[in-house]
Every structure is written in C-alpha cells, then in structure tokens.
Amino acid sequence: MKKPIVEIKNLKKVIGDKTIIHGISMDVFPGEVFGFLGPNGAGKTTTIRMMVGLMGITEGEVLINGFSIEKNFEKAISHVGGIIENPEMYKFLSGYDNLLQYARMLPDPVKKERIDEIVKLVGLEKRIHEKVKGYSLGMRQRLGLAQALLHSPALLILDEPTNGLDPAGIREIRTYIRKIAHEEGIAVFVSSHMLSEMQLMCDRIGIIQDGHLVSVETVGDFVGEKVNTVLEIEPIEKAREFVEQTFPELNPKVNGAKLFVSASREKVPSLVKVLAENEFEIYQVSSENSTLEEKFLEMTEGTK
Amino acid sequence: MSHFFRLIHNENVKIYKRMGTWVMIGILVLVVALVGAFTKFVLDPGSNADWKSQLTAENAQLTESLETAPMLEAQKRLLKERIALNEYRVEHDLAPMERDSLWGYMVDATTFTGIAALFTIVIAAGMVASEFSWGTVKLLLIRPVSRTKVLLAKYASTLLFAVLMLVLLFSTSFLFGMIFFGFTGAETPYLSYSNGRVVQQNMVTHIIELFGFRSIDLIMMVTLAFMISTVFRSSSLAIGISLFLMFTGPQIVQLLSQYDWVKYILFANTDLQQYTTGTPLVEGMTMTFSIVMLLIYFGLFAFLSLFIFNKRDVAA
Ligand SMILES: Nc1ncnc2c1ncn2[C@@H]1O[C@H](COP(=O)(O)OP(=O)(O)O)[C@@H](O)[C@H]1O
Ligand SMILES: [Mg+2]
C-alpha cells in the first residue's frame, strides 16, 4: 500500500467550551479523490482549517508528507495547495498579479512559463490580465484553482469547490479534479454537503456528522452492493409469501400496490425469471441504486 | 532577490496598486504646494528691516522677566539661551530667518509630518485588517512562510511608506520653496546653543534633524496603529484610536504634567526636542529616559502584534 500523504490522528478542536471536532482520524493517499461529506455545520471547514494551519489544533495531529503542520509548518504546507471556502483574491489586482503574489511567496519562485501553463490549464488565458473585480464566480474559482496548483502540490484541498457554480461549472470542476488526481497522482481532499456530487467525483468518502467521523468507505462499497427493487406484481400478497419462502434473504415487503425487495444487482434477473415461471403477473420492475444519499441519510439520521 | 525582499515586494504591490494610496500621495503634494502659495501670495510677512532693534527690545524684556518672574530652572535656561542667540544675531549681523524664504518655508513644512503620519497610519491600519476583511488572509497564510515573516514584511513595508512620505515632503517642500521663494539665503546658518555657547549649523542639516525628531512620533503612532490592526482586525478602530491619541495624547500629558507618573506615558516621551530646544515635561526627565521608554513601548507593541498574529485562529 502507498504511503499516505495526509495522516490525521485523533484530531480535536475545542473553541471556548464547545467541542467542534471530536477526535477524527483518517488517511488520504496519493492519486485518490477523498470526499469529505457532511451537512452544513458538521465541521468540514474547521477540520480543513486545522489541516492547513489556519487554526490551532486542540488535540491530536495532522501530518502532511510526514511533517507536522504545527511543529513543521513551512515544510508541511509546501506540499499543499488549497481553497478554503470561497477563493477570495485581491480584487484590485489582475488575475495574473494575484498569481504573482503567491509565486513570490515560494522559497524557489516558480518560472513565468509555469504560471502561463497553469493559466492555460484552468482556461483563463484570455482574461488573466483583467482585474479580478470583474471576474464571475466561475472565473474566480478557476483562479483559485490556479493559485492552489502553482507550486505543483502533492495534496490539493478544496472546501466546497462547487458552491455557487452552475451545472456546467460543476461538471468542469469535477472532470478536472478527477483528471489531476488520476493522471498526475495528486491527492485531492474535497469537502461538500452535496451527496450526489461526491458520488460522481470521489474514490473514497468520509462522512462527518456533528464533528464525528461516522464512516469512511470507498464509493464502490457505498453504492454497489444494495439494490432496492420495486415490483408491480399480482397477486401481491402471494408474491410476497413466495419470495419469502424462496429467497428469504431478500426481505420482501408490501407497500401499497408494490412489492419491495432488497436484492443485489445480479440477483434481479433470476428473481424476475422465477416469478414469471410461477405465473405471477409482472407489470413493472424498477431497481434503483441505494444511493449515497440514502446511506448518508440513514447514517446521519440515526445520530440525531 | 532574497525571499524576504520578495515578501516586501508583494506588500508594496498591494499598497501602490490601490487608488487610495495615490490619492493620499497627491493630497500631500497638493498641501505643500498650496501652503507655499499661501505663504507667498496671501500672508503679509511684515517688515523685517529693523530686526536688530526688535531683537534688542525682546532681549530687554526677557532679561527683566528672568529677574522678576518666578520660574523653573529649565525655563530659565531656555530664556538665557534665547537671549544669547539674539545677542549673537545682532553682533554677527545675521537676520532671523523669514517665513517667506526657502529655508523658512521648509522649516514650516516639517510640521506637515503630521499629514505624513496620518496617511501612514491609514496604510498601517489596513495592513493586517484588510487581509481579514478581504478574506485573502486564508490564502496568504497557507504558504510556506511563517506568520512572523509575513507580519515583519508588512511592518517593513509600512515603514517604507513612511519614509516615502517623508522624502516626498522634504523634496516637494524644497521644490516649491525654490519655485515660490527662489534659492536666496542659501548660506543662512541655523543658530543653536550647545555646551554654553552659540554655534552655527548648516540649515539643511537642521531641517533634516527636525524631520528626524518628528519621525519618532510618527513611527510610534504608526506602530500603534499597526498593532491595533493586528490585534483587533479592524482598520477603522486602528485609525480611530491612533488618530485620537496622536491629537489628544500630547495635550493630555501636558494637563497631567504636575503628576510625576506622567513621564511613563508614551506621549510624554515622543517629543525628544523637549531636551534640545525646550523644557522637559516633568522635571528630572532625560533624553536617555525617554529613549528607554520609547524602546519599551515599541517592544510591547511589537510583541503584542507578533504574539497575537501567530496565535490567532483564522476564521475569516
Ligand atoms: N470560530 C468559531 N467559534 C465557535 N464556533 C464555531 C467557530 N467556527 C465554527 N464554529 C462552529 O463549528 C461548527 C462547524 O462549523 P464548520 O466547520 O464551518 O462546518 P461546515 O464547514 O461543515 O459547514 C458549526 O456548528 C459552527 O457554528
Ligand atoms: Mg464549510
């Protein structure tokens, strides 16, 4: 297994007498998109702020490439590029001058060619010399991405990068994130409260709820295994009994005029075949993935 | 270019790419020009032809009050110096400097360091607070640069702005002085009293010295504004408190000057001219005492700024 780029160990944050983060531990590996999912106020931004040294750590530690963000800040942060909440830039400067600001702060300033390359990569080459004041949110988001990638970090941290973007913008960011992670081996740590989106973008997802890390799973595990199948079938009570006897693990239930079974995807065709052979009349079969959303709601509602 | 210079470069870009900075620079130049024009065309300088008899009369009056009026030792010394200077002028035929001359005008213009201080305070007050209000602090502080270094670069850039204002003040007052009053009386010396006798001093040196004395107040107030901006993240609070104290501080210590503890207040020590050409605010105060007090205050401001800036959770 690869060495993790980020190791978070029992991270806690207490502000005043309020515990906001209750001991989170997780690792992020090179080349993966790690989703950090949770409803508003769950503690995503607070966790990220501790990861990049903007906030002090009450207990526990964050190691980036083996360096502690608290004890060895400059070494640790030099591997990180990030956008924390909205990408706020100097509005009275051009996009290019903003990038120059961050370029000058590096111990070894990046070359002009690298800046031009990044500008092209995020597709801002036409407007980069205009003042940021006139940029749309999408353009600012792209400029934010450019400043985060300028120094070729090993870890990209994005806090709700799709907030406020239109669907096209969201898709663009999503494609881009997957590309840099999988092609360039950068680890991407991305937070969101939008479940559907995370499902499309991430390899692994950690769910945070009220400052607790509820679960960390790969997206495949999340969505692949369970399929809810709904059958419009007659006679319905008989069908339920039949399924109960032949496939007790499917846990059939009747709700109104519909029969619900929870079958794995591979199971569906054989189920339908057996039912048809036994003279049941099937009007409609629909299966839906148990989405992350359901799983997420299931998990988070339990704790409320 | 070294890393720290690049950080200062960054801060300078943020200062000089803003309109407001250039408005302030413009106002400073304009004030110098307008006051020059006012001195030349509006003020009546009065006749200075019989300055010798005026000085003689003044000396007679000063001598009398020296003998009759009760006063402090320091005040007495001051009057004696003044009498000695006046006598020296009459003896050596050195007319007192006039306001509508190049040097006279430049000496007047040194009081505009107050405007330079005001504008530098505005810049200092925004240095840290603006990064918070713009939200850019989040991107600024996730770079491989320690917070201490970021803050020092900001402070250094603020001082550079102060230097720019002072150089601008000196050069524009020289320029407009030349335009309005011509380069006459360039050889006029400045008379000062030192070690019991009157000495002649080069006028340019004297003017630069005046700037030097006034810069101390400027630097302390700017540092105070910078600290408030860092600690409270509010530029308006920093501007408000610093300006209020800059204008009222000296008056307050004057009012309270009968109490001995006043000498520990910052504003009792910012004017070092009280030891060269004036009387100390509280008897027994010395130049060394004031310099030590200034260093203590400076250290306190610097410590507070650095400590808070390094500690703070950035949640803007
Ligand atoms: N500076 C702070 N002081 C006190 N409470 C805070 C502070 N910052 C955040 N919180 C609280 O911590 C919780 C987590 O906030 P946040 O990390 O912003 O959540 P998320 O980014 O997941 O929406 C919220 O309940 C919020 O009210
Ligand atoms: Mg958030």
Side-chain angles (χ1 to χ4, degrees):
Chain A
M1 199 156 190
K2 279 190 260 185
K3 197 176 155 290
I5 179 80
V6 186
E7 296 159 76
I8 296 175
K9 297 177 181 166
N10 191 29
L11 190 66
K12 278 191 191 145
K13 180 72 186 177
V14 179
I15 298 181
D17 54 3
K18 203 171 141 208
T19 305
I20 294 174
I21 305 295
H22 302 259
I24 285 185
S25 300
M26 56 190 170
D27 292 341
V28 181
F29 296 91
E32 76 169 340
V33 181
F34 186 94
F36 196 40
L37 178 64
N40 283 328
K44 302 181 294 293
T45 303
T46 307
T47 306
I48 288 177
R49 283 198 172 118
M50 286 193 278
M51 289 171 69
V52 297
L54 287 176
M55 272 188 165
I57 292 170
T58 309
E59 218 184 295
E61 65 177 345
V62 173
L63 301 181
I64 294 171
N65 218 3
F67 298 107
S68 156
I69 194 75
E70 281 204 307
K71 300 195 187 82
N72 216 334
F73 174 75
E74 283 155 80
K75 278 239 170 69
I77 203 75
S78 63
H79 303 281
V80 182
I83 308 179
I84 286 78
E85 296 190 307
N86 303 318
E88 255 111 16
M89 299 285 174
Y90 301 105
K91 294 206 171 79
F92 51 89
L93 298 181
S94 69
Y96 195 80
D97 283 343
N98 268 284
L99 292 181
L100 276 180
Q101 286 275 320
Y102 302 118
R104 286 191 205 102
M105 292 187 82
L106 300 170
D108 304 303
V110 295
K111 299 230 162 56
K112 264 210 152 63
E113 294 82 67
R114 171 69 184 161
I115 300 182
D116 295 339
E117 184 191 321
I118 287 286
V119 168
K120 218 180 227 154
L121 197 76
V122 298
L124 271 180
E125 61 267 44
K126 284 209 190 81
R127 311 275 304 268
I128 196 69
H129 291 288
E130 287 173 29
K131 291 227 161 96
V132 171
K133 219 178 281 173
Y135 280 20
S136 69
L137 186 62
M139 289 168 72
R140 276 180 213 182
Q141 204 67 260
R142 284 191 243 171
L143 187 60
L145 219 44
Q147 65 76 30
L149 290 169
L150 202 57
H151 52 299
S152 321
L155 168 68
L156 182 63
I157 297 180
L158 304 172
D159 190 10
E160 313 235 9
T162 54
N163 245 4
L165 293 186
D166 55 20
I170 293 176
R171 198 171 61 224
E172 196 179 307
I173 291 260
R174 191 169 65 217
T175 318
Y176 189 69
I177 286 175
R178 290 195 70 84
K179 193 175 139 201
I180 56 172
H182 298 155
E183 287 176 16
E184 301 185 29
I186 295 178
V188 183
F189 184 95
V190 52
S191 84
S192 175
H193 65 275
M194 307 241 292
L195 323 149
S196 48
E197 215 180 273
M198 291 303 245
Q199 201 172 329
L200 293 169
M201 175 152 63
C202 304
D203 302 311
R204 280 199 305 149
I205 289 177
I207 293 183
I208 181 175
Q209 164 76 8
D210 288 335
H212 297 273
L213 192 66
V214 187
S215 95
V216 179
E217 284 175 68
T218 64
V219 169
D221 289 345
F222 254 134
V223 295
E225 59 186 18
K226 236 205 252 165
V227 177
N228 286 329
T229 303
V230 185
L231 295 144
E232 248 186 87
I233 190 165
E234 268 175 10
I236 191 157
E237 233 351 274
K238 273 223 171 94
R240 193 194 65 78
E241 277 165 26
F242 178 80
V243 175
E244 187 90 77
Q245 278 158 19
T246 37
F247 306 99
E249 76 276 12
L250 296 189
N251 190 23
K253 280 190 191 103
V254 174
N255 191 348
K258 287 174 182 160
L259 179 68
F260 288 78
V261 296
S262 72
S264 71
R265 190 175 159 76
E266 305 84 66
K267 214 56 198 244
V268 177
S270 55
L271 173 68
V272 172
K273 197 171 157 207
V274 175
L275 287 170
E277 279 167 0
N278 285 275
E279 311 291 315
F280 288 103
E281 297 191 15
I282 303 167
Y283 297 95
Q284 196 180 356
V285 180
S286 59
S287 321
E288 56 186 27
N289 277 356
S290 143
T291 59
L292 198 49
E293 181 140 7
E294 283 161 32
K295 180 127 187 181
F296 176 67
L297 290 175
E298 220 171 88
M299 274 176 182
T300 53
E301 257 151 33
T303 61
K304 279 250 165 84
Chain B
M1 218 178 0
S2 100
H3 193 206
F4 191 65
F5 278 110
R6 291 202 305 273
L7 296 184
I8 292 183
H9 182 179
N10 267 354
E11 296 304 325
N12 281 342
V13 169
K14 287 183 252 180
I15 293 175
Y16 299 105
K17 285 249 176 164
R18 268 184 296 158
M19 187 65 182
T21 308
W22 291 99
V23 170
M24 292 193 288
I25 289 172
I27 290 177
L28 186 78
V29 173
L30 198 69
V31 166
V32 173
L34 285 180
V35 172
F38 187 78
T39 310
K40 164 121 183 140
F41 300 113
V42 184
L43 276 190
D44 176 17
S47 166
N48 207 26
D50 55 347
W51 59 271
K52 276 188 186 173
S53 52
Q54 274 174 18
L55 286 188
T56 317
E58 189 187 326
N59 266 4
Q61 197 198 345
L62 289 177
T63 316
E64 195 191 316
S65 57
L66 200 56
E67 279 156 8
T68 55
M71 59 179 77
L72 296 173
E73 263 323 297
Q75 271 170 309
K76 267 189 191 162
R77 205 192 62 226
L78 208 64
L79 287 192
K80 279 182 189 154
E81 282 175 17
R82 191 164 176 105
I83 293 168
L85 287 177
N86 285 347
E87 274 170 3
Y88 190 93
R89 284 197 183 284
V90 176
E91 265 170 46
H92 293 78
D93 197 26
L94 291 167
M97 195 171 50
E98 291 166 56
R99 293 194 70 186
D100 57 347
S101 67
L102 174 62
W103 298 136
Y105 171 66
M106 280 187 78
V107 168
D108 276 356
T110 59
T111 55
F112 298 150
T113 45
I115 302 176
L118 170 81
F119 291 159
T120 313
I121 283 172
V122 171
I123 294 287
M127 279 323 260
V128 173
S130 299
E131 300 276 2
F132 277 89
S133 61
W134 294 332
T136 45
V137 66
K138 290 179 295 191
L139 291 183
L140 182 72
L141 295 183
I142 57 165
R143 308 288 143 186
V145 181
S146 70
R147 289 194 186 184
T148 301
K149 236 170 155 185
V150 170
L151 197 70
L152 288 181
K154 284 187 171 295
Y155 185 66
S157 309
T158 311
L159 290 190
L160 281 178
F161 182 79
V163 169
L164 170 81
M165 292 305 259
L166 291 174
V167 168
L168 199 66
L169 195 53
F170 182 84
S171 49
T172 50
S173 66
F174 181 75
L175 183 76
F176 288 112
M178 292 268 277
I179 292 173
F180 290 128
F181 311 111
F183 197 65
T184 52
E187 65 295 338
T188 318
Y190 173 72
L191 299 185
S192 67
Y193 194 87
S194 125
N195 296 329
R197 60 195 187 85
V198 176
V199 288
Q200 293 195 9
Q201 202 187 340
N202 180 298
M203 198 50 120
V204 177
T205 325
H206 170 63
I207 291 170
I208 291 176
E209 220 176 80
L210 280 182
F211 270 109
F213 279 122
R214 290 176 203 263
S215 310
I216 293 167
D217 187 32
L218 183 152
I219 286 174
M220 291 311 289
M221 295 323 292
V222 165
T223 309
L224 176 71
F226 190 85
M227 179 202 74
I228 297 173
S229 164
T230 310
V231 173
F232 296 102
R233 282 169 296 167
S234 157
S235 62
S236 44
L237 190 72
I239 293 174
I241 293 183
S242 310
L243 286 190
F244 177 75
L245 289 178
M246 186 168 87
F247 289 120
T248 60
Q251 259 100 49
I252 291 172
V253 292
Q254 205 70 52
L255 273 175
L256 298 173
S257 64
Q258 76 254 38
Y259 303 106
D260 189 58
W261 50 261
V262 166
K263 65 184 180 199
Y264 299 110
I265 296 178
L266 172 63
F267 303 98
N269 298 288
T270 45
D271 176 21
L272 291 183
Q273 268 187 297
Q274 63 182 316
Y275 305 111
T276 58
T277 54
T279 48
L281 183 77
V282 176
E283 265 211 283
M285 279 173 76
T286 62
M287 177 88 100
T288 322
F289 172 83
S290 283
I291 290 176
V292 169
M293 285 310 297
L294 289 174
L295 287 176
I296 290 175
Y297 272 101
F298 187 86
L300 183 74
F301 294 164
F303 171 77
L304 276 178
S305 309
L306 278 171
F307 181 75
I308 302 270
F309 193 66
N310 269 302
K311 266 257 135 68
R312 167 157 29 239
D313 278 355
V314 174

